[in-house]
Amino acid sequence: MQELAEHIAEQLGDVIQTQNIRLGELMLTVRREDIVKVLTFLRDDSACDFKILLDVCGVDFPDRPERFEVVYNLLSVRQNHRVRVKINTDEDTTVPTVSDVFAAANWFEREAWDMYGIFFSDHPDLRRLLTDYGFEGHPLRKDFPMTGYVEVRYDEEQKRVIYEPVKLTQEFRSFDFLSPWEGAERHLPGDEKAEDAPADQAD
């Protein structure tokens, strides 16, 4: 793995910002604008031979100036190696699509757009993938409320699905802050069999 890391660093030079080996995987951080070049090299170079794109995912670090990491996980079956390539971006800066390098990236990038709002330039069909039509926001961002903004229900009078603002009625929420093993007086079916038997019936 160390030889592979040195080979990649020699071939790509300043494109590689950081590299390390952790848990048996090579991890690279590269410049955002060079991601197509890097993945093409990793796929086509005979010493690398990373022919399979396993995943593209986003990670949100709200406190960073460039809050998002885009992570590409590659596998070389012939070499029996894995490599993880990372780039950084923010809410407004686009990331070049790699769908021309790996066809599998098409839906992975759509998911990252849907969940995080990471925009991939020149993507052939960048539509939402997992959320509903007209969904607002990106639910895996850490500043997205856990309740969401709207709730969906079927309206019997209108005979259709409608969207309404989320309402949490506090009086219908009870919090006893007790663990299941303390404070609760619950009797389950069969508990009566656990009562002590009379002494004359004891063995």
Side-chain angles (χ1 to χ4, degrees):
M1 188 64 75
Q2 186 60 44
E3 292 179 5
L4 177 62
E6 292 171 359
H7 172 72
I8 293 173
E10 180 182 349
Q11 296 297 317
L12 294 178
D14 294 340
V15 171
I16 306 296
Q17 294 179 321
T18 65
Q19 70 173 22
N20 59 68
I21 298 171
R22 188 181 306 162
L23 302 176
E25 292 186 18
L26 176 61
M27 302 185 185
L28 308 173
T29 303
V30 304
R31 296 186 309 214
R32 177 177 53 246
E33 58 272 18
D34 293 317
I35 188 62
V36 173
K37 174 183 176 181
V38 170
L39 294 193
T40 301
F41 170 81
L42 293 174
R43 181 195 65 185
D44 297 341
D45 184 82
S46 59
C48 299
D49 203 35
F50 290 98
K51 301 293 187 186
I52 301 175
L53 176 68
L54 296 172
D55 186 29
V56 179
C57 58
V59 186
D60 186 14
F61 299 96
D63 296 333
R64 295 183 184 177
E66 292 186 315
R67 67 183 289 182
F68 300 119
E69 275 187 0
V70 184
V71 183
Y72 303 81
N73 293 300
L74 305 174
L75 170 66
S76 171
V77 174
R78 186 170 67 86
Q79 303 282 3
N80 193 25
H81 288 320
R82 294 175 184 265
V83 65
R84 179 172 298 161
V85 183
K86 300 179 182 181
I87 61 173
N88 297 298
T89 191
D90 55 32
E91 299 176 47
D92 303 316
T93 307
T94 62
V95 174
T97 183
V98 296
S99 56
D100 290 335
V101 183
F102 293 101
N106 188 314
W107 279 28
F108 290 143
E109 291 176 349
R110 285 179 61 187
E111 182 180 359
W113 158 247
D114 194 1
M115 296 290 104
Y116 292 96
I118 300 169
F119 191 88
F120 295 88
S121 59
D122 300 319
H123 189 283
D125 186 23
L126 195 62
R127 292 176 293 147
R128 287 188 180 271
L129 184 65
L130 300 176
T131 55
D132 199 3
Y133 299 109
F135 189 90
E136 294 182 12
H138 303 281
L140 287 187
R141 289 187 177 184
K142 290 183 179 173
D143 52 8
F144 189 85
M146 294 183 67
T147 59
Y149 296 108
V150 295
E151 57 187 357
V152 182
R153 69 176 180 86
Y154 182 78
D155 187 277
E156 191 62 42
E157 293 180 2
Q158 300 182 43
K159 302 295 184 191
R160 67 182 182 89
V161 172
I162 63 171
Y163 294 82
E164 296 177 326
V166 171
K167 297 176 183 176
L168 292 178
T169 308
Q170 293 298 324
E171 56 264 29
F172 290 109
R173 305 173 73 196
S174 70
F175 304 95
D176 58 13
F177 301 106
L178 297 176
S179 76
W181 294 275
E182 61 186 11
E185 296 182 4
R186 300 186 183 96
H187 299 285
L188 300 175
D191 281 355
E192 65 277 1
K193 298 176 186 177
E195 295 178 1
D196 292 335
D200 58 352
Q201 297 181 11
D203 294 334

